[in-house]
Amino acid sequence: MKHSELAHLAHRGGISVPKFFLYADSLSGLKDFKTEKIILRSSYTHEDSEEQSYAWIFESIVVERNDEKMILQKIEHLYTDATKKIHGKSEGFHIMVQEYHEIILW
């Protein structure tokens, strides 16, 4: 799962991992974020398993942090879309809410 791997990297140190939490009926974790934008990302138990990869079917969505109504709409969209794509097998599917850091290429 993407969120498990990121938590492991953050704990190990040496690699900067933006703050994140798993959405579970609350956006209270947003208070700890320092960025104006957030990114909603999927994380699925079988995302990159040896038997089957689902990585190509999920999306990430950038949203303004202070627009909770829009965040909840986009979370619902991710759940609905993913449930269709994984044929209703939503057990093990999570939404990560993460600080958004823009990458600037030189």
Side-chain angles (χ1 to χ4, degrees), residues 31-95:
K31 69 183 178 332
D32 298 326
F33 287 8
K34 293 182 173 81
T35 59
E36 293 301 316
K37 294 181 182 179
I38 62 162
I39 188 162
L40 304 173
R41 305 174 67 200
S42 64
S43 182
Y44 185 53
T45 303
H46 307 290
E47 192 165 336
D48 290 317
S49 69
E50 290 181 22
E51 302 84 34
Q52 196 168 12
S53 175
Y54 290 90
W56 61 274
I57 66 173
F58 299 114
E59 56 186 304
S60 297
I61 300 173
V62 177
V63 194
E64 293 295 323
R65 184 183 82 196
N66 64 355
D67 191 346
E68 288 193 19
K69 183 178 178 183
M70 180 61 73
I71 293 169
L72 293 172
Q73 287 175 349
K74 297 300 183 181
I75 286 172
E76 182 63 33
H77 167 78
L78 286 173
Y79 273 123
T80 301
D81 190 50
T83 301
K84 287 179 192 172
K85 291 177 179 177
I86 56 180
H87 310 290
K89 301 174 186 172
S90 61
E91 185 176 320
F93 180 76
H94 306 279
I95 301 288

